Amino acid sequence: MKCENVSKAERLKTDNMATESDLENEITPVDFIQLQEYIEYSRIKVKDAMKEFHAGGKLVHHRFGDNEICFCPYTEVSGVQHNIVTGLERHDSHSVGKWMTYLEVEDFPADLCQRLYWYFQRSEQCCPDQGHHTKDGCVSLKAVSCYFSILEDGNPRDKLEYTFKLYDKDDNGHLDSKEVDKIVTQMMQAAEYLGWDVTELKPVLRDMLKAIDIDSSGTLTQQEWIQGGLNNIPLLVLLGLKVAEKDGQHVWRLKNFNRPTYCFVCQNMMLGLRKQGLSCNFCKYTVHSSCANKNCTPCVRTFVRSKTEIGCSVHDWISADCESNKCEICHKKIKMLTGKSCAWCHRMRHSDCVPLGSSHCDCGLLQHHILPPWAICAMDSSSGSSLEENYLANINSDGHFLQIFPVKDTNPLLVFVNPKSGGKQGKRVLRKFQYLLNPRQVYNLDNGGPNPGLQFFQNLHKCRVLVCGGDGTVGWILDAIDKADMAIRPPVAILPLGTGNDLARCLHWGGGYEGSDLTEIIKQIEKSILVKMDRWSLQVIPADTADEGDPVPNDIINNYFSLGVDASIAHQFHVMREKNPQKFNSRARNKLWYFQLATSETISASCRNLKECLTIECCGVPVELSRLALEGIAVLNIPSMHGGSNLWGETKSAEKLKKRQEVTVDPDALEMCSQDMNDKLLEVVGLESVVEMGQIYTGLKSKAHRLVQAAHITIRTYKTLPMQIDGEPWMQPPCTIHITHKNQANMLMAAPATSLGCFPK
């Protein structure tokens, strides 16, 4: 441990004076939300971080006693895997170190760190554990791990248990009136920060917590808290908990209604200037927060429970805002709160007219893409596949696994959404697709990745995949399709949410989704054409196995591979984003960072004289580099890189070679070589500088230096160089790189004339 000469007691005394006068000893709702945002981007869980403090862990020397783990905030710890703990010391008497941050954020706000420290210090002083005396200047990681676990995604029951332990300060197994009052206060603050209208919220919260006290004892046991909490929607939403998935159960979120909207339970208007209530992601059912626990109309069904219901296409009528729309039966306008809408075809009727019309549902405009509930049935394990062969995500609350029974003349859409792509766009897109389609065919990649969805759709011979994310997300899905061993590999369309989106540009899906109607995009998928795309294997063999570079992020190339100047910029960007994820939450901001790093690279020219550091051989033919002053080399599979640059350039149709050759190195012949993503050939170009990259991007220069077109490429490097594969960078010590053809993926290409609300660049 590193400590200043000043004693801990003196520093604590000085810091205590500063804290009492300048700081609140409570973690504010703003802090709570900020921590949630940090944790959202963290790659490890609290329980994994805690393992480092036990036997065999890197931080075991911070344990104090047999049953408690403590960490002194003044300790500076460096080189810890995943930055589980980061120490920070300042050279004044008011400094408090940065501690217990496994959140992978290098510049964790010092004031937030200080409030966290004093919060847990105060907690220990107010409710000390009998028989255990916390070491001076330390905090118990039992409380810390409990608090941070609340902020993670997870099982609501487990998180409610953690919450109970957090507020049970005296650890007596009950929440008394003071502890309950503190919960109400904290929830009020959180609700106000989240934008709820809190005018009448406090009595609602008190009544809600009173209702949890089943035996009216004036205290809450852990069982009462958990059982009652699972049935209290506002409590779950305020604590950031997700309601357990159960068919017919609403999935709530806070929402601000910018036009007159009514609660479907009490039928009163949703009043307030900020977020006035809750809305269901699946069916748009709207309620006051105080009405969420009352008898709400069930949400849409997503599957049927009997084989006799398979193929029985019937409307699923739900309460909806149908005001000013015409009833399909009587053709009269529907007034507020008097209409219903079908969850699948979205036809509208007066509530009184619902039984008068046909019950048959054709799923409306999206009938070819929707997987309706009558195409999914809950099956016993004895009926076919075993439970072990099915992912838990496709098993319902009754323990039955869900099986798809294809609907004739349809191509159900399997949607994968990366909620972290495109700032907050991913989350909005996820909600929109859950409403437009059956939620069972829309998968959040944060919840188990793509395998549950692919497993669910594996026996469908006609389906399409839509990937909502960046190029890295698309590559992830293509890899998963390879490994899933599906009967027929489904074609893949892209809704670009990332920063570069080079593959999406080549397939005419645009350079970035800008909020256009998702229904139109789905219809465009219906009109798209199937194309093949080459995929390439990348093998990296270190020259010296003792040289430990960064791990190679992938062994498959879908778009491009590069080394040198552009990879250097990408690597710097990657390092900055890993340290400060909150600063990289939009495409516009990301591009500004890229521009700043590119400017810096122009000045430093860190990759000059690249030809002295490597050799290139294609199909046994060496590539001559001595005549060029290059700072970068790029191996291309598609005609887009750096967010829209065509480095190979256009080749006039009259000049194209009629016959493809395994390798072409002659400069004159290269001028007649065109680029195609399914010709089983790669194109290699040289980049002179960052300035040349900018000239190509803006159109001031038509292309980079064409070096070779070949079916197999070998690159040997003699120094550590920055490299990237499909936008994922790393630093690589001297090595030999082999690039060979792997297979071809089925992709969907949109009509070139339609941009779908996406910018082409």
Side-chain angles (χ1 to χ4, degrees), residues 185-254:
T185 301
Q186 289 282 52
M187 290 176 68
M188 283 285 292
Q189 292 175 334
E192 190 168 12
Y193 176 78
L194 289 169
W196 285 39
D197 193 300
V198 297
T199 309
E200 300 179 356
L201 185 60
K202 190 168 186 176
V204 170
L205 292 176
R206 287 190 180 278
D207 290 344
M208 179 185 69
L209 292 172
K210 186 177 180 180
I212 294 177
D213 184 11
I214 300 173
D215 58 6
S216 301
S217 63
T219 61
L220 296 177
T221 65
Q222 181 171 309
Q223 184 175 359
E224 286 175 331
W225 170 258
I226 294 174
Q227 293 300 326
L230 288 173
N231 295 313
N232 278 272
I233 304 303
L235 175 63
L236 292 173
V237 175
L238 278 170
L239 292 175
L241 302 176
K242 296 178 180 178
V243 179
E245 281 193 28
K246 187 176 181 182
D247 208 46
Q249 187 170 347
H250 296 289
V251 177
W252 301 107
R253 69 182 179 94
L254 289 168

Side-chain angles (χ1 to χ4, degrees), residues 28-73:
T28 69
V30 177
D31 295 336
F32 189 85
I33 302 302
Q34 188 173 10
L35 288 169
Q36 279 188 316
E37 292 177 354
Y38 283 137
I39 286 178
E40 183 179 350
Y41 287 92
S42 179
R43 292 172 294 182
I44 60 173
K45 299 293 184 181
V46 173
K47 64 180 182 180
D48 298 319
M50 291 297 295
K51 291 177 182 177
E52 297 295 336
F53 292 90
H54 293 277
K58 295 179 181 294
L59 304 173
V60 67
H61 56 285
H62 291 296
R63 287 192 62 169
F64 177 66
D66 296 329
N67 301 315
E68 291 289 331
I69 305 171
C70 297
F71 177 65
C72 175

Side-chain angles (χ1 to χ4, degrees), residues 421-422 425 429 466-471 474 493-505 508-514 521 587 755-756 758-759:
S421 292
Q425 274 190 326
V429 166
L466 174 62
V467 180
C468 306
D471 288 340
V474 178
I494 306 170
L495 182 65
L497 300 180
T499 302
N501 302 313
D502 289 292
L503 182 55
R505 296 171 194 271
H508 303 155
W509 296 111
Y513 173 67
E514 297 295 335
I521 292 178
R587 278 201 304 273
S755 64
L756 302 177
C758 306
F759 293 116

Side-chain angles (χ1 to χ4, degrees), residues 231 233 265-266 289-297:
N231 295 313
I233 304 303
V265 174
C266 69
S289 57
S290 58
C291 296
N293 295 325
K294 299 178 181 178
N295 294 324
C296 298
T297 302

Side-chain angles (χ1 to χ4, degrees), residues 38 71-77 83-90 95-117 579-580:
Y38 283 137
F71 177 65
C72 175
Y74 303 103
T75 303
E76 183 171 349
V77 182
N83 292 333
I84 293 174
V85 176
T86 300
L88 175 67
E89 291 193 39
R90 291 165 55 190
S95 67
V96 176
K98 200 182 292 185
W99 55 279
M100 188 44 206
T101 171
Y102 69 98
L103 303 177
E104 304 174 300
V105 181
E106 186 176 79
D107 61 344
F108 194 81
D111 57 337
L112 175 54
C113 172
Q114 202 166 15
R115 286 195 296 278
L116 284 167
Y117 169 68
K579 292 179 179 178
N580 308 282

Side-chain angles (χ1 to χ4, degrees), residues 40 119 121 132 218 375 453 645 647 666:
E40 183 179 350
Y119 176 84
Q121 270 283 301
H132 169 72
S645 294
L647 299 187
D666 179 71

